[in-house]
Amino acid sequence: MLANRIKELRKQLKLSQRELADLLKVSQQTVASWETHQSEPSYDMMLHLATFFGVTLDDLLGRHDNQAPSQPSSSHDLQKFLQDHQGLLTYGGEELTEIEREQLRVAISTIFWKRPLHQ
């Protein structure tokens, strides 16, 4: 079931195996082996996958067989999230400064929209 869920969640996000591998910093072959039941991700990687896809670990493992496949658990506007969580964001255990949050916002909008979004 794990293999099917990884593939299903990846496709819901319209990611190729290569794109998912790049985002997770693993090889495309690793993602392919997860999706074809040839290997399973480590426990730490399963936690990372659940967080990445916005699902619970139970959902990633398919422990809700009587439910229809779920979308990621919730949706948040990232720009609003960065604005609303001032002083609450950390990276590697370090709290982000206001300047770092702004740099993050600009980087995300540049990556996804090729131009910074105005607040």
Side-chain angles (χ1 to χ4, degrees), residues 23-66:
L23 290 167
L24 297 174
K25 299 191 182 348
V26 298
S27 70
Q28 183 271 326
Q29 292 80 8
T30 297
V31 173
S33 71
W34 295 339
E35 291 185 359
T36 58
H37 303 276
Q38 293 176 355
S39 69
E40 289 190 350
S42 68
Y43 177 75
D44 286 340
M45 182 54 76
M46 282 190 244
L47 290 174
H48 186 65
L49 285 164
T51 300
F52 176 81
F53 288 125
V55 298
T56 65
L57 192 53
D58 279 342
D59 189 31
L60 181 68
L61 294 171
R63 298 181 93 179
H64 305 292
D65 294 338
N66 58 347

Side-chain angles (χ1 to χ4, degrees), residues 83-110:
Q83 290 170 352
D84 292 348
H85 290 83
Q86 301 202 12
L88 302 175
L89 294 175
T90 62
Y91 184 82
E94 299 282 328
E95 188 175 312
L96 296 179
T97 66
E98 187 173 334
I99 292 170
E100 290 167 333
R101 280 193 305 277
E102 177 61 15
Q103 289 172 333
L104 178 61
R105 187 193 66 76
V106 169
I108 289 169
S109 45
T110 300

